[in-house]
């Protein structure tokens, strides 16, 4: 797993700017205009009282002063209006950038990144933490961009006013800088605490989210109620909330200390500035207007300075969140996404050969697939059986091209699967997994996987899967939504109907390599027998692998592969393996005797 890369605030700002300027050509001009107006406003605000005091104390033409004062007031009012408007514009731009550009970038990554990365615990953690950077206006991506304008404004203002302040009285500037320095170190101390403790605090947040999500799943709802798990889940959730809150209070407490120090320093600053300036005024070094101007400059300068430290501090937190997002987005795919052999040239049905394949999941030492060698001939039907944990589903993931072997090769028509472009390779494989995954869209969309589809072909697949009549009876036919999540008149399918729908989806793909991973687990015996027949028919002209715990179902397959500890322990026809008298035969006898016993019991009862 790659190390998480940390970027400096400047690097992250440039990264966001690169993206935002690509999609929004008016972003930088709007930012520059906002800065210009917001820089000019405090200058006018400082000059206004100075002009008023000068009018009162220096004598001269009242008319002239009034014109200047009124002019400045009009300018200030206009500037405030423009500034308000531009602030709204920038706010909108930043928000749109987060929602319309970055949220889709994150979503696309989740949809297209290599499945093996997404499925890994590390990938799941990255996906969960990346969310924080896009959660709201004030954090991560949008927070950093929002703070760019005040940061630049404060920096420029600070330099301009600092230059003016140093010319007036360098001692004041020195005091201000010392205070700001102290503030900076308090902020840094608070941030360091945050940095060190955030990963642990994030796990509480993830726990909280996870428990809520699972608790809201109807599939879990039954068990939760039936086994009175509410209190247990609630307590686990609340423990996460309490721990997260404890951390938040510690973190915010440290940050709040900076606000306290701000206020204390403000009083000291004012006391010192007034003392020095009153002294200068009494000595006759400055007049009343000069006094007002200097106080104006010093207080504005202090504001710039303080705001600059505050914004830099906010950035320091936001940059951590942007780092988390980048860590998720910049995960490097491990499969081949470059050019590869032309999949349309692969013979139909293909031959698949596993050559000494070994594989273990990331972070696990024990191989799940262990030096497995097996040839599946073109058009052959293979039954893959074995106890739980033998590695069957993992083998399916390898054959599907979702993972690649650690060593050894899987060859399709003599070409290593890893040579193919990973996305192209998927065109060769149609897999029906045991875990049901139907999205809350229409039946037609679920079967075809897209919005615009060939309705005749979808109806034909539904017919082959034995679901046509059920769908025909629905008011909107193919356009009926599954579940009521998106449409009020959506339907809920039974377990068996869901399996058939997924089967129709597999048929729709019409891939030459067909893999069915325990597809009848949720079915009653009649539906199961019916589906077996349908599978048998649809596997014609395809190379197929069929995984099932019901060993009777292996009989329509050409050969049986009995897997144990990631190896092909026994390979042969059903009859050969029974004659061999090995593990498969033992398991088959066990299942048959169970059925026989059941029959005997039924006979005795009648
Ligand atoms: P089967 O399908 O034969 O029941 P699996 O291929 O599902 O076996 O699992 C084989 C082994 O791999 C089991 O020990 C299981 O715990 C482990 N395993 C399965 N999926 C993962 C995963 N995504 N990450 C880590 N370990 C896994």
């Amino acid at each position: 797993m790659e190390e998480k890369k940390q970027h400096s605030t400047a690097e992250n700002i440039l990264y966001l700017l690169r993206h935002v300027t690509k999609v929004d050509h008016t972003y930088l001009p709007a930012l520059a205009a906002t800065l210009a107006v917001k820089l000019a406003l405090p200058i006018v605000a400082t000059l206004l009282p100075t002009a008023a005091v000068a009018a009162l104390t220096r004598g001269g033409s009242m008319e002239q002063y009034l014109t200047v004062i009124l002019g400045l007031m009009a300018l200030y009012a206009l500037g405030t209006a423009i500034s308000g408007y531009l602030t709204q514009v920038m706010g909108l731009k930043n928000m749109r950038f987060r929602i319309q550009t970055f949220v889709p970038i994150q979503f696309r990554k989740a949809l297209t990144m290599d499945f093996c990365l997404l499925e890994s615990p590390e990938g799941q953690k990255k996906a969960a933490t990346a969310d924080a950077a896009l959660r709201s206006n004030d954090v991560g991506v949008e927070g950093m961009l929002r703070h760019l304008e005040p940061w630049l404004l404060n920096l420029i203002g600070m330099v301009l006013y600092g230059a003016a302040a140093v010319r007036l009285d360098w001692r004041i500037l020195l005091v201000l800088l010392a205070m700001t320095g102290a503030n900076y170190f308090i902020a840094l101390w608070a941030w360091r605490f945050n940095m060190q403790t955030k990963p642990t605090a994030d796990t509480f947040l993830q726990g909280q989210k996870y428990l809520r999500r699972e608790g809201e799943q109807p599939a879990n709802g039954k068990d939760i109620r039936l086994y009175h798990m509410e209190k247990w889940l609630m307590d686990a959730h609340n423990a996460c909330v309490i721990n997260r809150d404890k951390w938040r209070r510690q973190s915010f407490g440290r940050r709040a200390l900076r606000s306290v120090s701000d206020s204390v320093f403000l009083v000291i600053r004012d006391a010192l500035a007034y003392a020095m300036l009153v002294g200068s005024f009494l000595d006759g070094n400055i007049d009343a207007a000069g006094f007002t101007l200097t106080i104006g400059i010093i207080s504005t300068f202090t504001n710039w300075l303080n705001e600059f430290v505050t914004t830099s501090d906010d950035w320091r937190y936001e940059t951590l969140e942007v780092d988390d997002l980048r860590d998720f987005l910049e995960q490097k795919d491990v499969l081949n996404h470059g050019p590869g052999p032309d999949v349309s040239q692969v013979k139909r049905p293909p031959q698949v050969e596993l050559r000494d394949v070994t594989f273990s999941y990331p972070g696990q030492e024990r191989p799940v697939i262990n030096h497995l060698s097996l040839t599946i001939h073109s058009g052959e039907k293979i039954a893959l059986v074995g106890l739980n944990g033998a590695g069957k589903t993992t083998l399916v993931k390898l054959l599907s091209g979702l993972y690649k072997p650690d060593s050894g090769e899987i060859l399709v028509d003599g070409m290593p699967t890893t040579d193919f472009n990973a996305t192209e390779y998927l065109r060769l494989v149609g897999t029906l997994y045991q875990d049901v995954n139907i999205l809350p869209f229409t039946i037609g969309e679920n079967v075809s996987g897209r919005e615009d589809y060939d309705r005749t072909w979808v109806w034909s697949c539904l017919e082959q899967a034995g679901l046509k009549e059920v769908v025909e009876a629905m008011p909107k036919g193919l356009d009926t939504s599954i579940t009521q999540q998106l449409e009020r008149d959506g339907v809920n399918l039974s377990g068996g109907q869901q399996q058939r729908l997924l089967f129709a989806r597999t048929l729709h793909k019409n891939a030459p390599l067909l893999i069915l991973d325990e597809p009848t687990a949720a079915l009653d015996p009649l539906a199961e027998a019916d589906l077996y027949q349908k599978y048998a028919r649809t596997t014609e002209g395809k190379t197929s692998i069929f995984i099932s715990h019901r060993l009777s179902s292996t009989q329509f397959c050409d050969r049986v592969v009995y897997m144990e500890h990631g190896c092909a322990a026994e390979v042969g026809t059903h009859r050969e393996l029974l004659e061999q008298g090995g593990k498969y035969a033992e398991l088959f006898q066990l299942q048959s005797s169970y059925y026989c016993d059941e029959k005997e019991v039924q006979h005795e009862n009648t």
Side-chain angles (χ1 to χ4, degrees):
M1 208 33 77
E2 300 157 47
E3 273 287 296
K4 180 176 165 187
K5 216 169 150 193
Q6 284 187 351
H7 304 89
S8 66
T9 303
E11 281 172 329
N12 276 338
I13 278 290
L14 288 176
Y15 167 79
L16 293 177
L17 276 179
R18 264 199 306 277
H19 276 86
V20 78
T21 48
K22 230 185 267 172
V23 291
D24 183 351
H25 301 303
T26 59
Y27 190 87
L28 287 183
L31 178 67
T34 315
L35 283 177
V37 176
K38 289 197 176 176
L39 268 174
L41 270 180
I43 297 177
V44 181
T46 311
L47 290 179
L48 246 172
T50 310
V53 174
L56 294 173
T57 57
R58 284 188 185 165
S61 151
M62 205 58 183
E63 232 169 68
Q64 254 180 6
Y65 278 120
L66 270 181
T67 318
V68 172
I69 290 170
L70 286 176
L72 284 174
M73 281 173 79
L75 205 64
Y76 192 73
L78 183 71
T80 311
I82 297 176
S83 154
Y85 172 74
L86 287 173
T87 303
Q88 293 290 331
V89 169
M90 288 308 292
L92 194 66
K93 278 178 181 292
N94 290 330
M95 189 169 73
R96 292 185 71 207
F97 174 65
R98 170 174 66 92
I99 295 173
Q100 295 190 346
T101 305
F102 250 89
V103 171
I105 287 179
Q106 188 210 15
F107 188 39
R108 191 177 312 116
K109 177 73 183 177
L111 294 179
T112 57
M113 66 194 275
D114 281 348
F115 175 79
C116 46
L117 295 180
L118 183 71
E119 193 186 45
S120 71
E122 196 67 21
Q124 284 291 298
K125 197 168 140 221
K126 285 183 182 192
T129 22
D131 270 352
L134 298 168
R135 203 176 53 224
S136 72
N137 308 119
D138 298 326
V139 297
V141 167
E142 195 178 333
M144 273 202 109
L145 282 180
R146 265 178 191 271
H147 287 131
L148 176 61
E149 175 241 291
W151 187 85
L152 286 171
L153 185 71
N154 293 315
L155 179 70
I156 301 169
M158 208 172 71
V159 172
L160 287 179
Y161 278 69
V166 81
R167 292 176 74 200
L168 293 168
D169 195 330
W170 62 269
R171 290 166 305 170
I172 292 184
L173 186 76
L174 212 65
V175 170
L176 289 179
L177 284 176
M179 289 178 186
T180 310
N183 256 350
Y184 173 81
F185 282 108
I186 294 174
L188 202 64
W189 166 73
W191 178 77
R192 285 229 171 93
F193 170 81
N194 192 78
M195 206 22 205
Q196 283 156 3
T197 51
K198 187 172 174 287
T200 315
D202 279 347
T203 59
F204 299 134
L205 186 67
Q206 281 153 21
Q208 214 178 309
K209 278 191 198 165
Y210 171 79
L211 287 165
R212 270 212 308 276
R213 198 174 53 230
E214 293 299 313
E216 286 161 6
Q217 294 296 325
N220 297 332
K222 295 193 292 288
D223 283 355
I224 291 171
R225 284 157 184 77
L226 201 60
Y227 296 101
H228 307 292
M229 287 148 73
E230 305 86 352
K231 184 174 174 326
W232 171 46
L233 290 176
M234 206 60 225
D235 287 350
H237 176 267
N238 290 350
C240 289
V241 174
I242 290 168
N243 281 322
R244 175 89 182 166
D245 185 59
K246 200 163 131 197
W247 169 79
R248 198 182 291 117
R249 274 187 286 130
Q250 287 173 340
S251 175
F252 276 58
R254 282 164 171 78
R255 288 184 85 177
L257 196 66
R258 234 215 58 224
S259 309
V260 175
S261 70
D262 258 0
S263 317
V264 174
F265 289 156
L266 197 76
V267 175
I268 301 176
R269 177 209 76 182
D270 283 351
L272 277 175
Y274 276 103
M276 283 178 180
L277 290 175
V278 167
S280 295
F281 181 74
L282 292 178
D283 292 346
N285 291 337
I286 49 169
D287 63 1
F291 182 94
T292 316
L293 181 70
T294 316
I295 280 289
I297 289 179
I298 288 171
S299 67
T300 316
F301 173 68
T302 321
N303 268 348
W304 297 126
L305 206 61
N306 272 349
E307 288 294 310
F308 180 74
V309 173
T310 308
T311 327
S312 307
D313 191 36
D314 286 335
W315 263 357
R316 228 181 269 133
Y317 290 84
E318 288 151 4
T319 204
L320 290 181
E321 289 160 340
V322 173
D323 265 354
D324 283 341
L325 177 66
R326 291 184 68 172
D327 190 37
F328 171 71
L329 293 178
E330 289 166 10
Q331 288 177 89
K332 285 200 184 67
D333 283 329
V334 289
L335 303 177
N336 173 25
H337 290 273
D342 183 359
V343 286
S344 61
Q345 299 302 313
V346 172
K347 203 171 79 208
R348 283 166 197 247
Q351 172 179 295
V352 179
E353 187 187 347
L354 292 124
R355 241 186 233 169
D356 198 25
V357 172
T358 297
F359 172 80
S360 26
Y361 284 102
Q364 294 191 354
E365 278 173 26
R366 199 178 60 85
V368 178
I369 302 296
N370 201 357
H371 298 286
L372 177 64
S373 292
L374 177 73
T375 301
I376 306 169
H377 306 293
S378 162
E380 197 177 18
K381 295 182 188 48
I382 290 284
L384 194 60
V385 297
L387 299 181
N388 285 338
K392 302 181 294 295
T393 301
T394 306
L395 182 60
V396 171
K397 288 185 204 161
L398 286 165
L399 287 168
S400 305
L402 298 174
Y403 280 84
K404 66 176 184 180
D406 296 336
S407 63
E409 278 181 325
I410 301 176
L411 304 150
V412 171
D413 262 0
M415 288 175 276
T417 51
T418 44
D419 281 5
F420 288 92
N421 172 287
T423 316
E424 282 292 294
Y425 177 76
L426 291 176
R427 285 175 47 199
L428 296 174
V429 195
T431 311
L432 176 50
Y433 285 101
Q434 49 187 300
D435 40 353
V436 172
N437 168 30
I438 297 180
L439 301 169
F441 297 113
T442 67
I443 301 232
E445 287 164 349
N446 263 291
V447 172
S448 63
R450 55 175 63 97
E451 240 178 328
D452 54 327
Y453 52 86
D454 177 349
R455 297 177 80 88
T456 319
W457 177 226
V458 168
W459 276 121
S460 155
C461 296
L462 285 170
E463 187 174 12
Q464 290 178 65
L467 201 62
K468 189 179 174 200
E469 279 158 28
V470 177
V471 179
E472 272 176 342
M474 292 176 182
K476 289 191 182 169
L478 288 184
D479 302 316
T480 310
S481 281
I482 294 170
T483 77
Q484 283 99 21
Q485 279 184 38
L486 296 185
E487 296 274 343
R488 268 168 179 273
D489 54 358
V491 295
N492 288 316
L493 300 180
S494 70
Q497 289 169 339
Q498 291 182 11
Q499 285 288 358
R500 286 175 193 274
L501 186 81
L502 293 179
F503 182 41
R505 179 196 283 176
T506 313
L507 293 173
H508 183 275
K509 190 169 181 188
N510 198 19
L513 177 60
L514 193 65
I515 308 176
L516 308 167
D517 186 357
E518 287 197 50
T520 55
L523 302 187
D524 61 57
L526 282 179
E528 189 183 1
D530 177 51
L531 266 188
Y532 281 158
Q533 280 183 1
K534 291 190 161 57
Y535 291 148
R537 240 178 284 135
T538 50
T539 50
E540 289 307 323
K542 294 186 195 305
T543 304
S544 60
I545 298 164
F546 186 83
I547 302 178
S548 179
H549 276 306
R550 315 255 169 100
L551 300 190
S552 53
S553 66
T554 58
Q555 291 174 33
F556 77 84
C557 294
D558 301 317
R559 271 193 308 160
V560 177
V561 175
Y562 178 79
M563 268 189 86
E564 193 178 47
H565 308 309
C567 306
E570 296 171 21
V571 182
T573 62
H574 172 71
R575 191 143 300 280
E576 280 169 359
L577 291 192
L578 284 189
E579 280 165 11
Q580 205 174 300
K583 293 257 175 74
Y584 175 78
E586 199 181 314
L587 215 62
F588 187 76
Q589 301 300 349
L590 199 71
Q591 278 197 356
S592 324
S593 68
Y594 172 71
Y595 283 120
C596 290
D597 286 352
E598 263 197 349
K599 276 182 201 156
E600 278 163 22
V601 171
Q602 279 170 7
H603 280 300
E604 277 170 20
N605 286 344
T606 48

